[in-house]
Amino acid sequence: MASLSQGEVTSRGSMWELDQNLDQPMDEEAGRLKNMYREKKFSSALLLRLAFQSLGVVFGDLGTSPLYVFYNIFPRGVDNDEDVVGALSLIIYTLTLIPLLKYVFVVLRANDNGQGGTFALYSLLCRHAKINTIPNQHRTDEELTTYSRQTYEENSVSAKIKRWLEAHAYKRNILLILVLIGTCTAIGDGILTPAISVLSASGGIKVQNQNMSTDVVVLVAVVILIGLFSMQHYGTDKVGWLFAPIVLLWFVLIGSVGAVNIHKYDKSVLKAYNPVYIYWFFRRRWNSDIWTSLGGVMLSITGTEALFADLCHFPVLAIQIAFTLIVFPCLLLAYTGQAAYISSHKKHVADAFYRSIPDAIYWPAFVIATAAAIVASQATISATYSIIKQALALGCFPRVKIVHTSKKFLGQIYIPDINWVLLVLCIAVTAGFKNQSQIGNAYGTAVVIVMLVTTFLMVPIMLLVWKSHWVLVVTFIVLSLMVEVPYFVACILKIDQGGWVPLVIATAFFLIMYVWHYCTVKRYEFEMHSKVSMAWILGLGPSLGLVRVPGIGFVYTELASGVPHIFSHFITNLPAIHSVVVFVCVKYLPVYTVPTEERFLVRRIGPKNFHMFRCVARYGYKDLHKRDEDFEKMLFDCVLFFVRLESMMEGYSDSDEFSVPELGTGGGGGPLTSSASAFLGEKTCSTMCSNGELSFSSQDSIVPAQSPPSLRGMTGSSLLTRCSEGQASTVGDELEFLNRCKDAGVVHILGNTIVRARRDSGVVKKLAVDYMYAFMRRMCRENSVIFNVPHESLLNVGQIYYI
């Protein structure tokens, strides 16, 4: 490629200088908006109330673990008291290191404006480093009030890590694969948690009637599960207020029963708080079934990852208060009390929880245990919906129907397709295994994999986001892996005893996510490489070489800049185009939400008499299109607002902005460079509007393009004269023109790019693209449904792309 001449460099520099002068920061407006989303200060009374409410949302899964832990530690029975004390000591310090120290006091701080989970960590990383595999972000996106990021010194460790991550595509892909693995195993939790929690709680029926068949217990559990999943479409808005009292009552119950059992049966188990008994436990059982016991101990911290994923909008301090004052002490009392009971009744280890309950409160305890299991299951099901929604927003899952179940809470959603898949798999696991042991093995495998993924993702978070010293990072990862790796080995050794279930589930969801994401990225790359240059559009003239018929055409595209290839495909094959053309780009950003008043950006493409605009609708991974009841009306209103606001910038007239000395070669009246012609071709002025609240910024986008033959050799002044011919005399004329076009009719033009594998592709690629991806495309929802486009106003433009 030929090098740029000195005049071209000078011209480009002047244009960038002009762009910077026009795009001045709005400190006052930005400050007002940022104050709306700044972390709130909570009073002590409000913090305590939020800590109470968090019990029902965050801690249900972790709190129901005492139902099945000791049975999975000693599936073959207990030989001596020292083994019980050693197992209790392992439980105590595992609860201390993982849920308390790692998650409550470290990982929870890595939330994304109140959102937790694997994708929240990934979105944080995407904002601090360019690792997003779909590069559809623009510098204006970084000005969002919810788009927080850090800056780095050139030679700092954080800057070096950032450059290392951005250097090669394979590193970004490895990071994405790691995130998908964590996400898919978390979905497995949404299947296994209801199965083991409800089955364990239902087992209380058999304790009082030893002659009852296990099939009856399984049938009761299946009936409860069917009822639970069948009620999901109603949402939890109306009954959610019951969750916190139920879980609080549950923790008070298990803590009180544990304290009574310690006093009643064996106080000597309190020596388990001395960690030396962990060493003696390993030494005694090393040659027998130590790995089986470790897999059982692992179940005592199941629900810890859900604690992070279900963070919602609870402040971190409220979670910390609830865990340290209620959850942690009650769990320690519950496990210690069970250990005391087992020491005196070694044959009752299989159902130690229910047998340790006094007869006077047995059936009330059974009802509370069942209710707590349902609440725990509901929390993981809701977390699964949220995970699927986040994956869909980041282009990693097929488009599925999402129902918003609450008018007050944005995060309460329901996904019908996923709900019935979870129900079928949950019933299959419950009825297939019929016992807690094998389900527990499967559950532990899923949980420990998610924990390991979180540990690895926390390393770049601590370096890039928190800018922590490398000593703290090493300490964190060593302590975490020192606990999690042995548990991982223990769970992997149980693959043939039920541990294969989460691996199969995770593999299936991983294939769906990765294939969908791969084809989505390839389709976006095709759109980017085949987009039409602005110089070509300008060369067509105001009529675009066609008949401009009355009406408005909304052309949907994945591109946030440039003219999509489907537009050239459309005007090449049809003899007419609408009088007003609006290119609409709907894109998701790595933020949890985009404030409504900042959602839409509107820009003009070409001179005014072309009547072409671009509208970019930006969403976060928690936002829902369903909230935009009339997407078409919002788009048109934003275009009208843009035209009105553009008239306020008459001081920046074309002759002032694009004067010949600024844009001409060498400062004279010579020919414009290709960069200058592209710069002239897309004069933009972005608006952010909603419900009458407006904020305004201006910018000019430079899109490199070659000048068409019809424009070459023209002077800057003659080109400006040509581009301004036929321009509306007043803003009122253009507004009237737009309204007339709307009354004439609106057509939504959607591109339908079909991705196919090349003929010389391998068998695996052909299966993935031609069959798997094609099947998912046919089964998923159309974009027209998501955008609420009327069927009679829809026009699909198809094209095939071979990868």
Side-chain angles (χ1 to χ4, degrees), residues 24-41:
Q24 292 295 327
M26 301 181 299
D27 296 335
E28 182 179 354
E29 180 69 13
R32 180 182 67 83
L33 290 171
K34 282 184 180 295
N35 289 333
M36 296 167 56
Y37 299 93
R38 188 175 296 168
E39 186 175 353
K40 298 178 180 179
K41 300 293 183 180

Side-chain angles (χ1 to χ4, degrees), residues 57 59 169 171 390 424 449 476 483 652 693 722 747 753 789-790:
V57 177
F59 298 107
K171 297 174 185 176
Q390 294 176 14
V424 171
I449 292 175
F476 171 81
V483 179
Y652 297 113
E693 296 186 16
R722 173 174 175 177
V747 174
T753 303
V789 175

Side-chain angles (χ1 to χ4, degrees), residues 419-702:
N419 182 70
W420 302 122
V421 170
L422 293 180
L423 172 60
V424 171
L425 293 176
C426 197
I427 292 177
V429 170
T430 304
F433 288 135
K434 297 183 179 181
N435 67 79
Q436 304 171 24
S437 180
Q438 288 186 312
I439 299 178
N441 295 338
Y443 194 19
T445 304
V447 170
V448 73
I449 292 175
V450 180
M451 288 183 177
L452 285 170
V453 170
T454 301
T455 299
F456 292 131
L457 289 178
M458 282 299 297
V459 174
I461 289 289
M462 296 178 74
L463 291 172
L464 293 179
V465 182
W466 295 350
K467 300 180 181 178
S468 302
H469 195 277
W470 66 269
V471 174
L472 295 176
V473 178
V474 171
T475 303
F476 171 81
I477 194 169
V478 167
L479 290 178
S480 297
L481 295 181
M482 184 177 65
V483 179
E484 292 166 0
V485 168
Y487 286 137
F488 175 74
V489 174
C491 292
I492 291 298
L493 292 176
K494 293 184 177 182
I495 287 182
D496 60 337
Q497 303 172 36
W500 58 271
V501 173
L503 298 181
V504 171
I505 295 173
T507 301
F509 276 97
F510 178 83
L511 288 175
I512 292 173
M513 290 186 175
Y514 189 80
V515 169
W516 183 269
H517 182 76
Y518 172 79
C519 294
T520 299
V521 170
K522 292 299 180 182
R523 204 174 70 224
Y524 181 82
E525 291 176 352
F526 167 73
E527 296 280 354
M528 283 292 295
H529 294 157
S530 60
K531 66 182 180 180
V532 182
S533 68
M534 281 307 307
W536 183 76
I537 295 294
L538 288 174
L540 295 176
S543 67
L544 300 179
L546 304 169
V547 177
R548 301 294 290 266
V549 298
I552 298 178
F554 288 110
V555 182
Y556 291 83
T557 173
E558 297 182 6
L559 299 179
S561 62
V563 178
H565 179 70
I566 62 167
F567 183 70
S568 64
H569 186 65
F570 179 81
I571 64 177
T572 302
N573 292 277
L574 292 178
I577 191 64
H578 298 87
S579 299
V580 177
V581 177
V582 181
F583 296 101
V584 181
C585 171
V586 178
K587 68 176 181 178
Y588 284 91
L589 301 177
V591 295
Y592 78 103
T593 186
V594 175
T596 308
E597 60 269 18
E598 301 179 64
R599 177 152 296 159
F600 292 93
L601 293 176
V602 179
R603 307 172 182 177
R604 185 184 294 277
I605 298 179
K608 286 186 177 181
N609 58 345
F610 277 57
H611 300 299
M612 296 174 63
F613 304 88
R614 172 178 292 110
C615 182
V616 180
R618 305 177 293 181
Y619 290 85
Y621 55 78
K622 295 288 285 187
D623 292 328
L624 290 174
H625 288 294
K626 192 65 177 175
R627 307 280 291 188
D628 305 335
E629 296 179 356
D630 194 342
F631 191 64
E632 175 186 307
K633 183 178 183 301
M634 295 180 70
L635 291 175
F636 182 73
D637 288 344
C638 284
V639 173
L640 293 180
F641 278 126
F642 165 78
V643 173
R644 292 192 186 99
L645 291 173
E646 188 185 36
S647 66
M648 298 168 58
M649 295 189 66
E650 290 302 324
Y652 297 113
S653 63
D654 287 348
S655 58
D656 292 335
E657 290 178 5
F658 309 115
S659 58
V660 174
E662 285 289 324
L663 296 181
T665 304
L672 293 173
T673 65
S674 60
S675 296
S677 64
F679 177 57
L680 174 62
E682 187 173 350
K683 190 179 80 176
T684 67
C685 182
S686 61
T687 66
M688 297 175 284
C689 54
S690 175
N691 301 325
E693 296 186 16
L694 302 176
S695 57
F696 181 81
S697 66
S698 64
Q699 62 180 23
D700 285 339
S701 298
I702 298 178

